[in-house]
Amino acid sequence: MNTRRGITLADAAHEFLRHPTPWMLTATLAAAATARGYLGDWQPTDALVPIVMLAVFPFAEWLIHVLILHWRPRAIAGIRVDPLLSRKHREHHVDPRVLPLVFIPWQSLLWVLPLAVAIAVLAFPSPGRGLTFLTFLALLGLGYEWCHYLIHTDYKPKHGLYRAIWRNHRQHHFKNEHYWFTVTSSGTADRVLGTYPDPTTVETSPTARNLHADA
């Protein structure tokens, strides 16, 4: 998409589907949901698993953003540690309008998705609950990708909830990178964990577009 002025949701969706990560997550979602439906064995805990995941997700988002995406490159035992996710996220901060950098790097999903399958198999007492977990995880991942992508397009918020999420993430990019770490919600984990200040009390950071430049 060469120009992104005044785009509609349909325009945004068309561009969204041109990138590999949404397709990888959609394929995972379809496979997990199909297997879950085929297996049957529905239990009350199939409703509990998504509820717990939805409650935990903002905090997982916060932790991943702080500990992995904003990781400072460093030497550990003489080896430079600078993960792909961290490198790509620094590039994303340099120019938040470059759409390929908005998405989770597809190379990372080559190990994240198998890890999620392993958790579904090993961490749950039955295959049914594991598949419920995997289905909802893929759905959350797809929702994250869409929300994060849409914030970085020129689609203008039309509803209060999305406007709050849009403002929250843009403050992280253009106001101060040390606050507002959640992406798909506003004032949830950030408020609990102390990274949701009044924007009028926060100075504009000189390194919001160049992470760790002051290191």
Side-chain angles (χ1 to χ4, degrees):
M1 187 184 297
N2 295 324
T3 178
R4 292 156 52 202
R5 297 293 176 185
I7 68 170
T8 66
L9 274 177
D11 295 330
H14 179 75
E15 174 66 21
F16 182 72
L17 294 175
R18 293 179 56 195
H19 298 267
T21 306
W23 288 105
M24 296 171 74
L25 289 167
T26 299
T28 303
L29 173 62
T34 299
R36 184 66 193 91
Y38 177 79
L39 184 65
D41 184 32
W42 298 99
Q43 301 291 335
T45 45
D46 282 295
L48 182 61
V49 168
I51 291 172
V52 171
M53 291 177 69
L54 198 60
V56 168
F57 189 69
F59 296 92
E61 223 177 46
W62 191 98
L63 286 169
I64 291 168
H65 202 159
V66 172
L67 299 180
I68 299 177
L69 302 186
H70 281 230
W71 169 269
R72 286 178 179 263
R74 67 198 69 177
I76 299 178
I79 300 172
R80 179 177 171 83
V81 179
D82 191 13
L84 174 66
L85 283 168
S86 309
R87 298 197 306 271
K88 289 297 183 182
H89 192 70
R90 290 199 299 274
E91 292 178 30
H92 173 50
H93 267 266
V94 170
D95 191 347
R97 292 180 60 83
V98 175
L99 290 183
L101 295 174
V102 169
F103 295 90
I104 300 169
W106 64 267
Q107 299 92 333
S108 298
L109 289 187
L110 294 179
W111 64 265
V112 169
L113 292 177
L115 176 62
V117 172
I119 292 171
V121 171
L122 300 174
F124 288 85
S126 67
R129 263 43 70 200
L131 283 169
T132 296
F133 161 80
L134 189 60
T135 300
F136 199 66
L137 183 66
L139 188 62
L140 286 173
L142 198 55
Y144 170 90
E145 285 290 78
W146 170 251
C147 185
H148 188 218
Y149 157 77
L150 195 63
I151 290 169
H152 286 282
T153 69
D154 284 327
Y155 177 75
K156 301 304 180 185
K158 293 181 172 60
H159 302 286
L161 178 60
Y162 174 62
R163 190 178 299 115
I165 294 170
W166 178 88
R167 185 182 306 113
N168 194 73
H169 190 61
R170 287 194 167 233
Q171 285 172 165
H172 173 76
H173 274 283
F174 300 109
K175 180 71 173 177
N176 195 303
E177 76 276 21
H178 301 296
Y179 304 102
W180 307 293
F181 290 104
T182 55
V183 176
T184 59
S185 61
S186 173
T188 51
D190 278 311
R191 192 183 298 275
V192 173
L193 297 171
T195 52
Y196 191 74
D198 179 347
T200 62
T201 67
V202 176
E203 293 185 1
T204 299
S205 169
T207 56
R209 300 286 290 274
N210 188 9
L211 299 185
H212 316 319
D214 56 348

